[in-house]
Amino acid sequence: MKCDHKIAVIGGGSWATAIVKMLSENVDPIGWYMRSVYITEHIKRNRHNPTYLSSVEFDTDQLKLSNDINEIVEYADLLIFAIPSAFLKEELEKITVPLTNKIIFSAIKGIVPETGLIVGEHFHKVYDIPYDQIGVITGPCHAEEVAMEKLSYITLACQDTEKADCLGKYLSSRYINVKVSDDIVGTEYAAVLKNIYAIAAGMAHGLGYGDNFQAVLISNSIREMKSFIKKVHKMKRNINNSAYLGDLLVTGYSIFSRNRMFGNMIGKGYTVKSAMLEMNMVAEGYYATKSAYKINQENGASTPIIDTVYRILYENKDPKKEFQQLTDLLN
Amino acid sequence: MKCDHKIAVIGGGSWATAIVKMLSENVDPIGWYMRSVYITEHIKRNRHNPTYLSSVEFDTDQLKLSNDINEIVEYADLLIFAIPSAFLKEELEKITVPLTNKIIFSAIKGIVPETGLIVGEHFHKVYDIPYDQIGVITGPCHAEEVAMEKLSYITLACQDTEKADCLGKYLSSRYINVKVSDDIVGTEYAAVLKNIYAIAAGMAHGLGYGDNFQAVLISNSIREMKSFIKKVHKMKRNINNSAYLGDLLVTGYSIFSRNRMFGNMIGKGYTVKSAMLEMNMVAEGYYATKSAYKINQENGASTPIIDTVYRILYENKDPKKEFQQLTDLLN
């Protein structure tokens, strides 16, 4: 297997920064696009991202940094997208150089708000990228722990597993274990849905439910996730593998998860709007809830947890009453 | 279904106290045996257990308290055992009145050290109790949250589900949801094995592994638990139900779990003996590890996590090296 791709990362947030750090163990040079001129200049001068994972020091000779997305897309033949799904459409619209011959891995754990598609589907349907050139990078993986070089396992999914194997070579290190999967749809939906369940876990916490209930909620969540994904793309998968259950656990049990925090505020009585304002950002799970709810309206899996979160976020229903009803449906 | 059993709880610890609290919502009188004369007298005078869940107030008119196990066993026809497995044999040997016609539910999450049997098997093999008179009460359920009346789900398993249904009526309340199962062997093994995985989670934490690795460890644990139990008793079960996965989660992610704390001390460099001395008790998972390891030597499921914990606890192997080896086996 010949692995000599030119690689670039699109995004300047914490997950993008963590991925550049992983790559820096093996790849030279690494293309890195981000919007912010200030941050690029800061990295060039001070060798670290001032806003995210600022403890990580980079060898700037190894980085091909740019604020011009076309320069970076043109340079690379394997692109890793790691920007919030809410900004994806806008960034992609800047691209004027050809995309169709690129290998594109998505490290975005969300649904494109404008199209309601998961990122892989968006690239396929809107940009005509063939499915065997599309892949997914998924956890369980907090960026902060990558910065600290704590042992983490990531899953790379691609129909063409040779491409995933190559990317695995670029990302593996003493603190990164890589697993390859061919379930691109399932792993991506898992990464999206887990944010909804993290919102639910946060809501439950905010409403005063304890750890006993959280354990019931999470064990119902993984069963619900299994049914949901099975309807979207039926194939043999073990939902208890790290890319599905592990990813759900690391998010659902993390007090640092932005989705869980968002849910917590709603559970404590904030309105959706004021929670968003307070957090100064939109949690990925907010969009995911709407899309997942709509997708499942057609597919008909039993998803009482997603339905509950949807009614609270989009139909202004009372979290306390909705959760009381939900508790009767869980087991 | 006629449910008019005379019920008693055997044990004075936190889980026994929580079960008496649950019963107190529906049952009058409740038989309650414990060894300690001091604690019985304290409860009679002050309406609460001074040592465990001391915030819970009992109506002492509702309690038939005794330090004489024979008095309580003779009184009741449905007995709930909730004492540490290490003391079970000793307590049972005090019993001189007949046991064979009693319904016996075990709320003990451990293996009887002297026989290496799970509690249900111990009652069956050593005391000739027919299997349709034996049941299991399992979580996910921290006693402390029952004391606070936080919504909790418990599973009652019995081959004769009518008996479980009756006990469910006695235990259900606005804060206790009951689920009935016929998988007495599987639910009991799950309750036993989860303590081993909680030790492993504690060891990983003590060794400095982070949340990313914990999520991988727990998602591997539930797959390992599934394989282990399947070899012991093959039947159709969803390992992601609350009695299996939920119980693993509430223990594995709890910083209050004694098993996790025990593992944490070992991971930090304590010897097994000094960790036990420091904790002033033996974690249930310590015995469980030895028995589970031996049982599986015959059954041959792939159990790298149990094997690792066994080698550290019983073969004096170095936790750091053992976990380094383990990380290559997980995925």
Side-chain angles (χ1 to χ4, degrees), chain A residues 19-137:
Chain A
I19 291 170
V20 173
K21 175 174 167 59
M22 294 181 211
L23 290 169
S24 70
E25 306 287 344
N26 306 297
V27 177
D28 189 359
I30 303 161
W32 191 1
Y33 161 79
M34 64 186 73
R35 266 197 307 196
S36 166
V37 178
Y38 161 70
I39 295 181
T40 331
E41 290 308 312
H42 187 105
I43 296 174
K44 282 180 186 165
R45 268 198 314 274
N46 304 296
R47 309 163 65 95
H48 67 261
N49 185 329
T51 317
Y52 298 101
L53 311 186
S54 55
S55 66
V56 175
E57 196 170 302
F58 293 103
D59 173 359
T60 45
D61 292 340
Q62 204 181 346
L63 302 178
K64 189 179 161 53
L65 273 160
S66 174
N67 305 114
D68 177 353
I69 195 167
N70 283 298
E71 180 191 345
I72 294 296
V73 170
E74 192 159 34
Y75 158 73
D77 39 38
L78 195 162
L79 290 161
I80 298 171
F81 280 83
I83 50 180
S85 63
F87 304 130
L88 182 65
K89 185 166 171 280
E90 182 189 334
E91 289 294 336
L92 287 174
E93 281 169 358
K94 294 180 190 167
I95 298 175
T96 52
V97 297
L99 257 186
T100 43
N101 58 340
K102 309 288 181 186
I103 302 167
I104 292 179
F105 271 81
S106 165
I108 302 167
K109 291 151 183 190
I111 282 184
V112 187
E114 295 86 353
T115 57
L117 299 172
I118 53 174
V119 175
E121 286 176 333
H122 185 83
F123 274 105
H124 179 67
K125 293 196 176 160
V126 182
Y127 289 88
D128 285 329
I129 316 283
Y131 263 124
D132 66 354
Q133 286 169 225
I134 295 174
V136 171
I137 302 178

